[in-house]
Amino acid sequence: MTLDAITDRLRERVEQTSALRRLPDESVAELKEAGLFRVLQPSRWGGAEVHPNTFFDTQRAIARACASTGWVFGVVSVHAWQLALFPLEAQEEVWGDDPNTLISSSYAPTGKVTRAPGGYRISGRWSFSSGCDHCQWIFVGGFAPSEGAPDMRTFLVPRSDYRIDDNWHTFALRGTGSKDIVMDDVFVPEHRTHKFTDGFRCQSPGNEHNPSTLYKIPFGQIFVRSVSTTSLGITEAALDFYRSVTGTKVGASDGSKAGEDPMAQMTCTRAATAVDRNTLVLQRNFDELMDAVEVGGVSLERRAAMRWDSSQAVEACVEAVDGMFTAAGGRAIFTNSPMHRWFCDIHGARAHYANRPEGPGRNYGRVLLGHRTQDWFI
């Protein structure tokens, strides 16, 4: 099935997806059948190992059809990329029997981690695990006990060792099913952990087995883009709708054509420009990353700038969608209006920690002024 055919079906299921508060099984099955969840997966496990820009373009197209599906597709696909950085034994456990196995996540280090022979024991609650209903494993964040610098890690845990708390009742991105994950004294062996410092340095255990350039880029860069790219698709969808309605709308009281209104014209211009300019910048950044990793990597200053670019793109999209929502008139406030849905979803995307531009913006300024970065997720 082509991507166009899949997005047509996703568009038809938008209301169903929202009502279910998770992706419909049919949507996940179609994405799996087309191999889309494996675009960043290593070729040794049947993956495509595509250029990140190809992946993000695909995510944007999916989000344009259904924001919730685009969001889940983005983060879950990036988990296949991160698993490629783990020791080979962990990759074999997840993909050995079924290379289509999916992983969800919740990276905030909200659980308790203690040392145990051969690994760690973890307990706690982790929130916002998008797509968790369709995944058989999960990545959760935590600080491993350390006498030196903080040792934040990703812990890989099978579905049998955790439960899903169905508490996802929201007004935005309802179909992502981003529910809480609960664990009680779960053992995680050493080989099922990944150090954030390894991801930052681009020197992970899995690089020995997956030597492609794709797996040498910083973890922070590819993850933040997986949660910002959906905003571009939402903005494109809202602009499609705004153009189709406003271009033919005639005022009931005076017969004026809405398309002749200067405010409507500038609203379209600003929205189209927000998508175009930010897409070009973000694509340039990953072209630069992929080229640079083979010749020594990218400077921290550029990495800080790229982190800012990812979050700033979301802010630009929020402003564009807010402008279209305001200009769309009273009909936009009805709950069955597509514009209402995009307005909610874009603000849901903006609420993600990685999409808040203030922190990355200040950090980029610090680095430009000669100070040390305070953000190591770059």
Side-chain angles (χ1 to χ4, degrees):
M1 188 182 299
T2 66
L3 180 59
D4 285 343
I6 291 173
T7 54
D8 284 344
R9 295 191 181 191
L10 295 176
R11 196 172 286 108
E12 293 170 357
R13 297 191 194 110
V14 165
E15 294 301 329
Q16 178 191 4
T17 302
S18 180
L20 285 173
R21 295 181 299 108
R22 63 172 177 81
L23 301 192
D25 293 341
E26 305 96 302
S27 297
V28 175
E30 288 163 3
L31 293 171
K32 277 189 173 184
E33 184 179 351
L36 293 180
F37 281 119
R38 290 188 281 118
V39 293
L40 296 179
Q41 195 161 312
S43 58
R44 67 184 295 133
W45 299 110
E49 293 191 12
V50 302
H51 190 290
N53 283 337
T54 301
F55 162 63
F56 292 124
D57 287 346
T58 302
Q59 182 185 5
R60 201 176 86 218
I62 292 172
R64 190 173 187 168
C66 175
S68 289
T69 306
W71 184 277
V72 172
F73 168 75
V75 296
V76 170
S77 296
V78 163
H79 299 153
W81 179 90
Q82 189 189 5
L83 184 58
L85 307 184
F86 275 68
L88 183 59
E89 187 176 355
Q91 299 175 47
E92 291 171 337
E93 286 183 276
V94 176
W95 289 324
D97 292 330
D98 181 6
N100 284 309
T101 299
L102 304 180
I103 307 167
S104 67
S105 72
S106 180
Y107 290 107
T110 55
K112 179 182 178 182
V113 182
T114 58
R115 286 198 178 276
Y120 305 88
R121 304 204 75 88
I122 63 175
S123 299
R125 175 181 289 268
W126 290 261
S127 298
F128 301 104
S129 186
S130 302
C132 60
D133 291 295
H134 303 284
C135 298
Q136 293 73 49
W137 293 76
I138 191 169
F139 288 144
V140 295
F143 284 100
S146 172
E147 294 180 359
D151 182 9
M152 186 171 173
R153 300 194 182 200
T154 300
F155 297 84
L156 173 64
V157 181
R159 182 72 171 264
S160 57
D161 286 350
Y162 61 87
R163 69 177 177 86
I164 298 172
D165 182 5
D166 185 3
N167 63 344
W168 188 246
H169 299 278
T170 65
F171 72 83
L173 297 172
R174 286 171 50 87
T176 62
S178 305
K179 303 167 184 176
D180 277 15
I181 302 298
V182 182
M183 300 185 199
D184 183 18
D185 195 30
V186 171
F187 176 70
V188 182
E190 182 73 31
H191 70 268
R192 280 205 251 120
T193 73
H194 179 233
K195 294 183 178 181
F196 268 59
T197 53
D198 288 346
F200 173 79
R201 294 174 180 145
C202 306
Q203 297 174 347
S204 297
N207 291 139
E208 176 184 354
H209 307 285
N210 302 306
S212 167
T213 300
L214 175 63
Y215 306 109
K216 297 175 183 177
I217 58 180
F219 171 45
Q221 295 294 334
I222 196 166
F223 176 78
V224 297
R225 277 293 311 282
S226 76
V227 294
S228 68
T229 297
T230 291
S231 298
L232 295 167
I234 292 172
T235 307
E236 288 180 299
L239 180 58
D240 290 341
F241 178 78
Y242 184 78
R243 290 174 63 187
S244 67
V245 172
T246 306
T248 59
K249 185 177 179 181
V250 176
S253 59
D254 60 4
S256 62
K257 296 180 179 179
E260 296 293 340
D261 182 353
M263 175 185 174
Q265 294 166 356
M266 285 305 299
T267 295
C268 280
T269 296
R270 292 190 180 102
T273 301
V275 172
D276 186 48
R277 286 183 176 173
N278 284 284
T279 297
L280 288 172
V281 168
L282 297 175
Q283 288 176 337
R284 177 207 64 186
N285 288 352
F286 266 87
D287 283 337
E288 180 182 341
L289 276 173
M290 291 291 281
D291 290 341
V293 293
E294 296 295 347
V295 292
V298 181
S299 69
L300 286 181
E301 180 178 310
R302 286 297 298 137
R303 286 167 67 167
M306 292 173 184
R307 173 74 176 86
W308 153 251
D309 288 336
S310 179
S311 61
Q312 190 277 329
V314 179
E315 190 79 348
C317 287
V318 169
E319 292 177 3
V321 174
D322 282 359
M324 288 184 283
F325 181 83
T326 300
R331 290 292 172 186
I333 69 172
F334 283 76
T335 56
N336 64 350
S337 165
M339 191 62 76
H340 172 269
R341 182 177 65 250
W342 292 312
F343 177 84
C344 292
D345 285 345
I346 198 74
H347 283 273
R350 170 63 170 76
H352 192 285
Y353 176 79
N355 289 339
R356 300 174 186 173
E358 295 83 7
R362 290 195 302 271
N363 186 65
Y364 180 35
R366 277 182 56 86
V367 175
L368 287 174
L369 292 170
H371 296 280
R372 191 174 184 227
T373 180
Q374 290 183 330
D375 183 358
W376 298 101
F377 200 57
I378 58 175

